């Protein structure tokens, strides 16, 4: 499959296969980080002198994203004020939860505003320096409903593990426990927005538990391994680590 992908990639790279729109989830309460960042939404926590969300947006733009949908909820006014300064008003839309909908409900609400068939979905408190063209081209080649960006990790217990078949389709999701090594879900997805909206799903649900883990055996779901820089600032220890590691990200 890897050889087939490389051969296909060389022959079929075209602008039509690029992903141009991103949904960024930035509505969570951030309770685990509250001790370090008590008065801001998690994605607005200062990292090396800039809001963490700045780095997420900048990387998206560097990878060819032209339009954004920000899924907001908790303290959304602070994020809105930042976006007015950060982006041209015609480059983004807001999708605001009046009540907590879970990651799935938030994505579903935001997808209703999408103008592209395939969208990039990201967490606003995670920075995964993926190569978007690699994700987009594979997603298009296999006709996926959802393609996950997977990060290889060693000696961890904070994340579950994603197992792949030989054709890179999802084989299984394993629960959080200690692993010597494995592939984790990096929270960066290529999502077919139309197919996702056609699913029979409740208003409030978890994207990970109620969509990915429930449908991976009956939908075209795949994983693309990207051994790139990854950090999730959801806990104080990793938030502090980001201060030094991300100072050169601009």
């Amino acid at each position: 499959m890897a050889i087939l992908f490389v051969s296909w990639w060389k022959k079929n790279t075209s602008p039509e296969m690029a992903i141009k729109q991103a949904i960024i989830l930035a509505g969570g309460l951030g309770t685990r980080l509250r001790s370090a960042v008590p008065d801001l939404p998690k994605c607005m926590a200062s990292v090396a002198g800039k809001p963490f969300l700045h780095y997420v947006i900048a990387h998206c733009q560097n990878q060819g994203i032209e339009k954004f949908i920000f899924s907001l909820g908790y303290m959304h006014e602070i994020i809105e004020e930042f976006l007015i300064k950060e982006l041209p008003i015609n480059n983004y839309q807001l999708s605001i939860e009046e009540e907590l909908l879970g990651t799935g409900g938030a994505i579903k609400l935001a997808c209703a505003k999408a103008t592209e068939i395939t969208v990039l979905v990201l967490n606003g408190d995670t920075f995964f320096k993926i190569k978007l063209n690699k994700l987009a081209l594979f997603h298009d080649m296999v006709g996926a409903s959802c393609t996950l960006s997977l990060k290889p990790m060693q000696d961890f217990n904070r994340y579950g593990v994603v197992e792949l078949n030989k054709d890179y389709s999802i084989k299984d999701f394993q629960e959080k426990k200690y692993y010597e090594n494995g592939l984790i879900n990096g929270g960066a997805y290529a999502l077919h927005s139309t197919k996702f909206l056609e699913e029979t799903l409740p208003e409030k649900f978890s994207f990970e538990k109620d969509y990915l883990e429930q449908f991976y055996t009956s939908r075209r779901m795949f994983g693309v391994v990207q051994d790139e820089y990854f950090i999730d600032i959801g806990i104080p220890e990793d938030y502090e680590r980001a201060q030094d590691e991300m100072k050169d990200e601009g």
Side-chain angles (χ1 to χ4, degrees):
M1 182 68 175
I3 295 174
L4 175 63
F5 177 47
V6 171
S7 176
W8 179 91
W9 192 344
K10 289 180 178 178
K11 294 178 181 178
N12 294 278
T13 52
S14 70
E16 288 76 18
M17 295 173 187
I19 299 176
K20 297 295 184 182
Q21 188 167 39
I23 293 171
I24 298 182
L25 303 176
L29 297 177
T31 52
R32 291 179 300 169
L33 194 61
R34 196 70 57 80
S35 61
V37 186
D39 55 355
L40 289 171
K42 190 163 43 171
C43 67
M44 291 298 293
S46 179
V47 172
K50 297 178 182 179
F52 187 79
L53 186 58
H54 163 83
Y55 301 100
V56 178
I57 292 171
H59 180 63
C60 284
Q61 291 174 318
N62 289 338
Q63 294 291 303
I65 294 294
E66 298 174 351
K67 297 177 290 184
F68 294 87
I69 301 169
F70 293 94
S71 174
L72 309 181
Y74 174 69
M75 300 181 77
H76 61 85
E77 299 87 354
I78 294 174
I79 302 173
E80 290 179 53
E81 290 176 7
F82 166 73
L83 292 174
I84 290 171
K85 301 173 184 177
E86 185 81 359
L87 289 170
I89 193 67
N90 59 344
N91 280 33
Y92 70 92
Q93 302 178 71
L94 303 179
S95 176
I96 300 177
E97 299 173 70
E98 298 301 327
E99 56 181 324
L100 292 177
L101 300 177
T103 50
I107 294 170
K108 183 178 178 181
L109 189 66
C111 272
K113 295 179 177 288
T115 55
E116 301 286 329
I117 293 175
T118 300
V119 294
L120 175 67
V121 179
L122 301 172
N123 293 310
D125 59 352
T126 301
F127 184 77
F128 192 4
K129 207 170 181 179
I130 63 168
K131 292 179 172 63
L132 183 55
N133 61 343
K134 180 179 179 180
L135 175 65
L137 290 170
F138 184 87
H139 179 82
D140 184 84
M141 181 186 76
V142 298
S145 296
C146 185
T147 304
L148 290 67
S149 299
L150 305 178
K151 166 69 177 175
M153 293 195 80
Q154 294 79 40
D155 298 316
F156 62 96
N157 58 15
R158 185 179 165 192
Y159 306 98
V161 161
V162 183
E163 297 181 345
L164 298 178
N165 294 306
K166 289 183 179 180
D167 65 351
Y168 300 101
S169 61
I170 304 297
K171 179 180 181 180
D172 202 5
F173 291 93
Q174 298 293 332
E175 294 183 1
K176 294 179 182 179
K177 63 177 184 179
Y178 173 76
Y179 295 93
E180 289 187 2
N181 57 72
L183 300 173
I184 71 161
N185 178 358
Y189 313 96
L191 181 67
H192 193 298
S193 62
T194 306
K195 290 180 180 178
F196 181 66
L197 289 172
E198 289 172 351
E199 298 286 2
T200 302
L201 292 161
E203 183 182 8
K204 302 177 183 180
F205 65 100
S206 163
F207 185 76
E208 298 79 10
K209 294 292 183 183
D210 302 319
Y211 176 65
L212 297 179
E213 295 185 22
Q214 292 299 316
F215 288 99
Y216 75 93
T217 58
S218 58
R219 303 292 188 271
R220 294 188 62 77
M221 294 189 184
F222 293 81
V224 170
V225 180
Q226 301 226 35
D227 195 7
E228 307 293 341
Y229 179 73
F230 171 89
I231 194 162
D232 174 353
I233 63 164
I235 59 174
E237 294 86 348
D238 285 346
Y239 171 59
E240 291 303 321
R241 181 163 61 89
Q243 303 295 335
D244 181 62
E245 293 181 352
M246 296 187 66
K247 62 186 178 183
D248 295 326
E249 291 297 332

